[in-house]
Structure formats: structure tokens, C-alpha cells
Amino acid sequence: MKKATSIPDMYGSLVFSDRVMRERLPKDIYKAVHKTIQNGTHLELDVANSVAAVMKEWAIENGATHFTHWFQPMTGLTAEKHDSFIAPEGDGTIIMEFSGRELVKGEPDASSFPSGGLRATFEARGYTAWDPSSPAFIKDGSLYIPTAFLSYGGEALDKKTPLLRSMEALSRQAVRVLQLLGEKDVTRVTTTIGSEQEYFLIDKEMYLARKDLLLCGRTLLGAPAPKGQEMEDHYFGVLKPRVSEFMHELDEELWKLGIPVKTKHNEVAPSQHELAPVFETANVAVDHNQLTMETMKKVADRHGFACLLHEKPFDGVNGSGKHNNWSIQTNTGVNLLNPGRHPGENLVFLTFLVSVIAAVDKYADLLRVSVASAGNDHRLGANEAPPAIISIFLGDELTAVLDSMEHGETFESAGKQQMGTGAQVLPHITKDTTDRNRTSPFAFTGNKFEFRMPGSALSVANPNIVLNTAVADTLSDLYDELAQIPEEERTQRLPGLLRSLLKQHKRVLFNGNGYTDEWIEEAHRRGLDDLRALPDAMPRWISDKSVALFTKHQVLTKEELFSRYEMVLENYYKAIHIEALTLQEMVRKDFIQGLVSYTKDLAQEASLKRSLLPQAACSLEEKILEGLEADGVQIAQALDTLHTDIRTAEKIEGAQESAEYYERTVLKDMEQLRAAVDHAEERIPDSYLPYPTYSKILFSTL
Ligand code: ADP
Ligand code: MG
């Protein structure tokens, strides 16, 4: 019998990890690579050559025949082009070859990737550059090398490049401040991220039977099922066997890739689930989240499921998000957002806490932009949480700490309290100093912040680029103020500085329920932004404030910002355009056919009845027929309007104008059409419907 592989053996078995490098690389080469990874320093070509040779050997031993530079263009997906290791010798034989140059640099044709005008189409060149800080791995017989993707002129065409730049910016500023505060050992800080991933798992057959899911990732039609999530019976519920088998295989596949997935459970909506890894360095965590999403889809397929990552696959039940847990850690191993036992006296913690608060308030609009997409708009600012307004939840204890600080008082902690369970047999448990808050878009959760606005399908690179840069900026301002104070007075005067910073930005703090209308009114009174739809938010991305922020910290140039603005808008209106066409086709070609054949059968039935039973009232048939006739009139009208408006939309020039038209007009037309179709759907037997209903899809998994 084959011996089962233990999980520690399986873990990372497909990764060219630090351990593999330590074992296989000559000592000096290993040291050089390790230094690059730890300190973000540059790597020389001779080192790359040695690494490439060892990497190739290891990859071939593990079954790889090809290698690929793996990158993250602005499509939000990943891209890869595979080259085999073979090199013909001229005598009909081959050798397996892989050089340092091939490891370090690739030249994919960039012309078919979105560039937002950064590159004219005739300038096709693009470069991929090895990112040694994210480990290479093997998948489907290829060695995957994580890379950044740049244009011929050196502009970033991807999400990794600005993420790395933002991590460096944050590190630079944090280290300067920490040095001033006397933390002389700190030479580098890293951003850490744990991204909780929500998703839906539905039967593959049903998925394939719906053009909307297939082409758009979400249902564009569908009356609500009689049961939704109101019984609250799915969240943390027992895993169904088929789902459990899927999750088990998913865990193993991800562990092999060195992705530390830890938690899995059922989510609130029927057929919705969540997976969470243990946090990692931001750059690696982002790569790993991309791989996780891809692996989810692949493993789902093997189990007869389709994995839906769209933010709002079904109306009427919760959509899916991706909680971005974020913190900052020093090279000396300190989590800078850890309040410790005495947060009121922990000046380093308070400095970073207040800097994050200031950053989030000052750049709330950019954070909103960083999570904007056609899909995520259905969550943010729609009938769903979190709202589009950014606020910060701190919890009772930290609020009290900051209150004392604001009033120049010392804070007395109540400490952790024991909780009475009322049952002798149960062990004593200690209570946290604050309850959780599930409705806040940006919540302090013990020793990290949790940004809950990112959508389930989005790369988490964007929100972290903004967050890192925004915090770098407030730290840099704080440094400038601190540096003017004589060294011996700094510690004494720091609380005063933090106090005034807090006063300026405390409007962003809110511990209450973020889902209520009262909060929205209150937020408007406080002057907080409420940028509900993507086209409302995007102009902020190219505002003077944004340009000043990103150029000052060398994270994005003005050109890169403007090109991203174009790309996001384009992506948005194209997504809605495809949805509108899909909806139109589903109604015209499929739904109407079902409607017509049902009404025909009903009418025939009524007339047959009458011919056999002249006294028959046929009131049931007639009533349904009348109702469906009325629906039919509405559907025809709504189809006409949608059709006309799509034609108008296609003629609009300018990305901003197009996006606005699609949001204000085409989306509304789609809702109108959907309402009429769904109304009819509720009256038509399933056997006449061209697609499976919500009941079937959401409750089909056994
Ligand atoms: P929940 O949000 O459901 O309470 P957890 O508290 O278990 O979940 O944590 C959620 C995520 O936060 C996990 O991915 C975890 O690894 C991550 N996390 C914990 N500490 C940090 C940290 N210092 N930096 C970034 N992420 C962290
Ligand atoms: Mg969470």
C-alpha cells in the first residue's frame, strides 16, 4: 500500500522555497539571494545564473518540462506563456537549458494587454522581470516564476510593480519614524496580509445551463427562491459531503503550493463558503490569493462544481467579498499594530494607529477607488454591506485609549475579564476587551486592520497599494514634524502631535452599525465621501491629491495613474456592455420561447376545455394568461429601451462618459427588464424555463 504523505512533507513540495535554496545553492549564492529577499536589494546576473541552474534541476526532478514568467496584467487575472527547457544540439539531440537571463527577464508581446494608452499598439514590447521575493513553484508540468510586467519605457503594466514600490515606500517612512523614536535596530518593515476569500459553489450542470453565469459570472435574471438566507442556517453549518471533499482536495493542492490555508467554513448565503490562509508578506500573499482563486476553480470542476468568484452572483442573498487583513511588521519581529498589555503607554503602537487613522481618513476616496469594479458595485453602496462610505471601527478599549489621549489623561485598562458561562462543567474563558463589529468597512481586529471592501474576484494588490502609500504619507508628515523637535523632548511631545492629528481625522471613527440609514446621514453630516458607483469614484484617482501622493512616494507616475484610470473605466463599461448583450440575448432567444410555449399550451388547454365542456369557466387559465400577457407587454417595452440604449452607449466616446452612461442608463434598463422577466418567471413552470431557477441552483448541492 502506498504510504500516505504527511502534511508537513506535502506542504510546499512544489515550491522552490528558501529551504530548497539553502540545501541546493552554494553558500555564498544562497546568502546573496536571501539578502535580496530579506532586504529588497538588487540581484546580480552571476547570482541569477547559479540560481537558474539549480532551479532547473529541481524543476525537472519534480516533473517540469517548461518554465513560464507568471505575471499580473491589468486584466485582474494572471498571465503566462510557456517555454520548454529544450535546446537542440544540432545533431538531433537536445539538452535541457535554463539561463540566468531567462530567469531574470522575459519579453512577452505586450500589445494585447490593457495599457490604458501607455503604449501605442505599434510599440509591442513589454518586459517581465523576476521577483525573487515571491517563490517560484511548479504547476501542471511548468516552473512558474513570479514576475513584474513593464512596458518598454519602464512603466508598470501590472499590479505587482506598484505593490512592491508601495511596500518599499511604507518601509522607508516607517523606519525613519521608528529611528527617531529610538528604535535603532529597525532597518526594514514589511506589510503583512491575510485575505479571507468568499465564494459560491454550485452544480456545474446548472452553471453550464445559464449563459449569464457562463459569460458574466453572475445571474442577470432569476426570481428569488422561496427560501434565502433568512433562517441563518448556512453560516458555519455542517459541510455537505461533496463540499467537504472539494475543500479537502483544495487544501491539499494549496498546501503543496506552499499556501498556508487554515480556515474553511460555510458562509451566510446558501451555497456560499469561505477560505482563509495564515497571513504572509503582502507581495507573496497577493500572489497566493491569485493562485488560490485559480485553484478553487480547477478543483471545483473536478468535483462537478463551478466556483463563482463574482461579487454578486445572485440577487437577494449576500454577495462575496475578500477581507484584507493588514498589518506592519519590523525586521526585529514586532507587529507595529499590536497594542500590547498597555496600549495607552505604547507610543510606537499609538503612533502607527493614529497614522493609519489619518491615512484612511485623508485618502478614503482612493481606498474606495482601489476596490471599484463592476461586480463590487453591487455590494458597495447597494443594498448590501459594507457601505461605500469608509469608516474605522476601533472597539471600546482603543476608543477609550484615544479618548484619554485626546484629553491628555492616562488610560486605565480594565484588563481581560473572565466570562461567566453559567455552567460548572465549562472551562473559564477570558473575554476580549471589545466585541467584534461585522459592519465596519475598516475594523481594528486585535493586532491588525481588516479592510472589508475588496470584492471576492479582485486582486488584493490594489487596496494594499493605496493603503501602504497612504500610511507612508502620514508617517512622512509625522516625521517632518518630529524631526524639528529636539531629541530629548520628542517622547514627551509626541502625544501632543498624535492628539492634534487625531482631532483632524477622528470623523472617520465609527463604532456603530454601518448598515443603517442613520449612519449614512451621520456620515454625510461629517463630510465623509459616499462614492456609490465606480464612475463617481474614478475621477478621484486622477485628482491633484492622488497625483501628489503617488508621485511623492514613487509608487505610480502621473502617466501610470492616468492609464490605470482609463483601464478601470474601460473594464467597467465593457463588463456592463457584455452583461447587457447577454441579458438581451437570454430574453429574446430563450426566455420568450418558454413564455410563448407556455401561453400557447395554456390557451390551447382553455380552448380544448371549452370545446369539451362549453360551460367551463377556464378562469384559472385565463387569469394566468392575462397576467403573462401583461408581463409580455412590459418585457417587450423594456427590451426595446435596452436595445436602443445599448446602441446609444456604443457611440459614446470617452471612458468616463461611457462608464457614466452605462451606470446611469444601461444598468437601470437591465433592472427594469429583469423585474418584468422575473415577475413572469414566478408564474411559469420550470419545465418551460430555459434555465435553472434560483431554488435549483442554490439548494442543489447534496
Ligand atoms: P476573522 O476575521 O474571521 O475573525 P481571524 O481573526 O482568524 O478571522 O483572522 C483573519 C485573517 O487575519 C487570517 O488570514 C489571519 O492570518 C490574518 N492575520 C492575523 N494576524 C495578522 C497580521 N498581523 N497581519 C495580517 N494579517 C493577519
Ligand atoms: Mg474577517
Side-chain angles (χ1 to χ4, degrees), residues 209-434:
R210 292 201 59 130
K211 284 183 193 161
D212 46 8
L213 285 177
L214 210 54
L215 300 182
C216 313
R218 74 172 178 114
T219 55
L220 302 168
L221 291 170
K227 181 181 173 185
Q229 61 193 42
E230 58 284 86
M231 299 298 283
E232 300 174 333
D233 54 356
H234 196 254
Y235 190 58
F236 282 12
V238 177
L239 300 177
K240 292 179 176 156
R242 231 177 112 200
V243 172
S244 175
E245 277 168 32
F246 157 82
M247 287 179 169
H248 186 75
E249 190 182 332
L250 178 63
D251 282 341
E252 291 198 344
E253 290 289 310
L254 295 175
W255 287 337
K256 283 186 213 160
L257 291 169
I259 302 176
V261 284
K262 182 143 175 102
T263 311
K264 53 186 180 187
H265 61 80
N266 286 347
E267 256 301 327
V268 170
S271 288
Q272 192 186 28
H273 313 278
E274 182 182 303
L275 166 151
V278 176
F279 69 93
E280 299 178 278
T281 304
N283 170 35
V284 177
V286 168
D287 286 358
H288 279 173
N289 181 252
Q290 292 288 348
L291 267 180
T292 300
M293 291 194 283
E294 184 192 315
T295 312
M296 278 176 160
K297 294 198 166 201
K298 200 165 67 182
V299 175
D301 192 64
R302 281 189 219 139
H303 289 258
F305 285 125
C307 173
L308 307 179
L309 292 172
H310 193 281
E311 285 79 10
K312 194 71 180 175
F314 304 101
D315 250 25
V317 295
N318 274 10
S320 300
K322 177 144 50 194
H323 293 175
N324 185 69
N325 293 274
W326 176 93
S327 193
I328 327 169
Q329 184 152 354
T330 65
N331 60 310
T332 52
V334 176
N335 174 356
L336 293 167
L337 291 177
N338 187 352
R341 279 174 172 270
H342 307 289
E345 293 150 35
N346 187 343
L347 272 186
V348 168
F349 166 71
L350 289 172
T351 301
F352 280 84
L353 180 72
V354 174
S355 298
V356 175
I357 294 171
V360 171
D361 181 45
K362 191 166 173 196
Y363 298 109
D365 52 351
L366 302 182
L367 280 168
R368 165 67 183 93
V369 171
S370 78
V371 296
S373 73
N376 211 19
D377 265 15
H378 295 285
R379 292 171 69 227
L380 311 176
N383 311 324
E384 181 155 349
I389 303 165
I390 295 192
S391 64
I392 300 180
F393 167 86
L394 285 182
D396 300 337
E397 185 174 35
L398 282 191
T399 303
V401 169
L402 292 189
D403 279 348
S404 327
M405 193 176 80
E406 204 185 329
H407 301 111
E409 296 157 2
T410 41
F411 168 77
E412 299 288 341
S413 167
K416 290 216 172 186
Q417 292 173 2
Q418 287 229 332
M419 194 167 81
T421 61
Q424 285 293 338
V425 64
L426 297 177
H428 292 301
I429 51 179
T430 51
K431 243 168 45 165
D432 286 291
T433 45
T434 188

Side-chain angles (χ1 to χ4, degrees), residues 192-194 196 277-279 325-327 335 436 447-448 450:
T192 50
I193 296 176
E196 302 163 58
V278 176
F279 69 93
N325 293 274
W326 176 93
S327 193
N335 174 356
R436 283 167 182 263
N447 58 3
K448 62 188 188 291
E450 182 172 345

